[in-house]
Amino acid sequence: MDRIFSGIQPSGEIHIGNYVGAIRNWVKLIDHYDCIYCVVDYHAITVEYDVALMQKRILETATILVACGLTPERCIVSVQSHIPEHTELAWIFNCVTPVGELERMTQFKEKGRRHRHNVNVGLLDYPVLQAADILIYKAGYVPVGEDQVQHVEFSREIARKFNARFGKTFPEPQVILSEAPRILGTDGSAKMSKSLNNAIGLLDPPEVIWEKLRTAATCEHRQRRIDPGHPEHCNIFTMHQAFSKPDQIAFVDEQCRTAGIGCIECKEILFKNMREELVPIQTRVQEINGKPGYLIDVLRSGAARCKAIATEVMDEVRQKIGIKPAWLSP
Ligand code: TRP
C-alpha cells in the first residue's frame, strides 16, 4: 500500500476547523493507505510557547487523534520527537537547501511578521523539518489543507535535489488536498484560532458550543428576520456544509434565501448535527483518559513502528551521502 504521512502541531486546543480540515480526512484515508499521523512537537517550538503546558498538549492532541478514529489497529499515531531520525534527516536536507528559498516561503514571511521578536533559525528551517518528516518514511502522499501546499511542494523539491545529487532515494510526495470547506472563526471574518478567541473547540461541552454558535456572526446582509440571506456569504452555512446532511444543506440554503427560517433556527439544526458528531468523540476522549497507560502504549508502539522504517532509511541516506563507508556496515 502507498504510504501517507501528515502532521499536526500540538499548539493549543484543537478546534472544529482542525477537525474538518485535517483529522476527518485523515480518518477517511486509513483504509486505503498505510498511514502515519504525527504530533509534530519540534515544529511547535519554533514560536513562543508555554513550556509547562507543552507535554499536556502533546498528549491531548494524540488522544484526540485516537478518539477521532485514528486507532493503532488501523494506522500509526506518533510523536515527532520520539523518532530523532526526523531531525537527523532534516540536518542533511539543510545541506541541499538554499537559504533564499526558505526566506521566500509564505508561512515564514507571515510568521516572521507576527513573531518579530523571535525570528529564529528554526522558524526559517521549518519546511526542511517538514520535508524530513515526510521523506524519512518515503511517504508518497500528504493530506493537508491549502495553507500547507507550498510546504509539500518544497518537500518535492528537496527530494528532487537530494536524488539528483546522491542518486534516486526519495519519492516526490504529492498533496492530497482536503476538499473540506474552510470554516472561519465565530466572528465570521478571521481564520478560526484559539488565540483570536473565535474558535469552537472539539472538546467544548455542548452547552458551550451552543452559546458560541448562538452568538456567532451570520451573513451581514441579513439584519432582520424578514431579510433574505446569502448562504454563500455565511460562515454558519459553511459549517452546515461540514456537519449537515445534503438534504438539510439544501433546506437551509433555500430557507435562508427566502427568509423562510431565521438564523437561530438555522443554527439549531447545525448545532444538533455538530453535537451528534462531536459528543461520541468527546466520550472516547474520556474513555482514553480513564484507561491509565493506554495512550502511552499507543505512542510507544507508534514510535517503535516508525523507528523501524526510519532507521532503515537513515542507513541508506548515510551510505548515499558518503558518511557511512561500506566496510562499516554490519
Ligand atoms: N506544518 C504543518 C501544519 O502546520 C504540520 C506538519 C509538520 C506537517 N510536518 C508535516 C504536515 C508533514 C504534513 C506533513 O499544519
Side-chain angles (χ1 to χ4, degrees):
M1 250 197 294
D2 288 322
R3 181 166 290 140
I4 275 185
F5 181 94
S6 198
I8 183 165
Q9 291 202 45
S11 41
E13 184 195 25
I14 305 243
H15 52 66
I16 59 166
N18 308 126
Y19 171 68
V20 169
I23 304 172
R24 199 166 62 179
N25 281 311
W26 296 2
V27 177
K28 288 188 198 138
L29 294 164
I30 50 183
D31 293 326
H32 310 288
Y33 296 86
D34 180 5
C35 297
I36 302 174
Y37 297 121
C38 186
V39 180
V40 289
D41 46 359
Y42 279 156
H43 277 109
I45 65 169
T46 57
V47 294
E48 249 119 79
Y49 68 99
D50 189 337
V51 175
L53 280 180
M54 186 52 114
Q55 189 57 24
K56 179 173 165 282
R57 287 187 166 161
I58 294 167
L59 297 180
E60 199 175 273
T61 305
T63 302
I64 287 177
L65 296 185
V66 176
C68 287
L70 302 174
T71 56
E73 295 79 27
R74 301 174 75 195
C75 63
I76 299 179
V77 174
S78 62
V79 175
Q80 186 185 35
S81 65
H82 297 179
I83 304 110
E85 285 78 5
H86 287 237
T87 38
E88 191 177 359
L89 184 59
W91 175 257
I92 293 164
F93 285 168
N94 276 336
C95 303
V96 296
T97 305
V99 175
E101 272 179 35
L102 292 173
E103 286 168 338
R104 280 196 290 276
M105 300 299 285
T106 308
Q107 189 175 294
F108 171 67
K109 290 194 281 190
E110 194 254 316
K111 284 194 181 173
R113 272 193 296 272
R114 259 196 294 143
H115 303 273
R116 214 177 277 278
H117 304 291
N118 183 17
V119 185
N120 61 76
V121 176
L123 194 63
L124 178 68
D125 206 32
Y126 183 114
V128 176
L129 180 56
Q130 183 160 347
D133 292 339
I134 300 165
L135 294 172
I136 192 70
Y137 304 111
K138 297 191 175 181
Y141 299 90
V142 186
V144 286
E146 190 67 56
D147 66 318
Q148 291 298 316
V149 169
Q150 192 183 40
H151 284 164
V152 179
E153 268 161 15
F154 177 79
S155 73
R156 296 167 62 85
E157 234 165 88
I158 293 207
R160 222 174 294 142
K161 282 205 181 89
F162 185 99
N163 292 345
R165 174 137 165 67
F166 301 112
K168 174 98 182 91
T169 310
F170 296 110
E172 290 178 25
Q174 290 173 34
V175 170
I176 298 180
L177 198 60
S178 156
E179 72 234 42
R182 205 162 142 266
I183 297 175
L184 297 175
T186 48
D187 50 11
S189 52
K191 187 177 160 181
M192 190 171 279
S193 138
K194 194 185 178 212
S195 55
L196 296 176
N197 209 11
N198 65 2
I200 297 179
L202 197 64
L203 302 184
D204 279 348
E207 0 20 299
V208 173
I209 295 183
W210 171 245
E211 198 45 34
K212 288 180 179 176
L213 280 182
R214 191 182 67 77
T215 52
T218 54
C219 157
E220 60 189 349
H221 305 289
R222 199 170 180 199
Q223 299 291 342
R224 300 164 303 172
R225 170 70 181 74
I226 52 164
D227 295 333
H230 301 268
E232 68 278 14
H233 297 307
C234 182
N235 190 40
I236 295 295
F237 186 68
T238 310
M239 294 191 206
H240 268 293
Q241 290 173 314
F243 286 97
S244 301
K245 293 179 199 70
D247 57 325
Q248 291 173 314
I249 297 171
F251 175 80
V252 294
D253 182 75
E254 210 260 328
Q255 292 291 309
C256 174
R257 283 180 204 287
T258 56
I261 62 170
C263 290
I264 282 292
E265 281 165 90
C266 174
K267 287 172 171 179
E268 279 166 353
I269 301 171
L270 172 65
F271 172 61
K272 185 170 165 293
N273 294 331
M274 245 186 218
R275 192 180 51 192
E276 259 168 40
E277 185 156 350
L278 301 188
V279 166
I281 294 174
Q282 299 180 352
T283 307
R284 280 195 295 277
V285 165
Q286 280 161 7
E287 283 165 10
I288 293 169
N289 289 340
K291 281 193 268 185
Y294 173 78
L295 187 75
I296 299 303
D297 284 346
V298 170
L299 296 180
R300 194 176 282 139
S301 85
R305 289 158 76 192
C306 284
K307 185 104 186 159
I309 308 166
T311 31
E312 230 176 79
V313 174
M314 267 320 296
D315 270 351
E316 182 188 351
V317 166
R318 277 192 225 95
Q319 295 276 12
K320 289 242 166 86
I321 66 172
I323 294 274
K324 185 182 177 192
W327 52 264
L328 263 185
S329 297

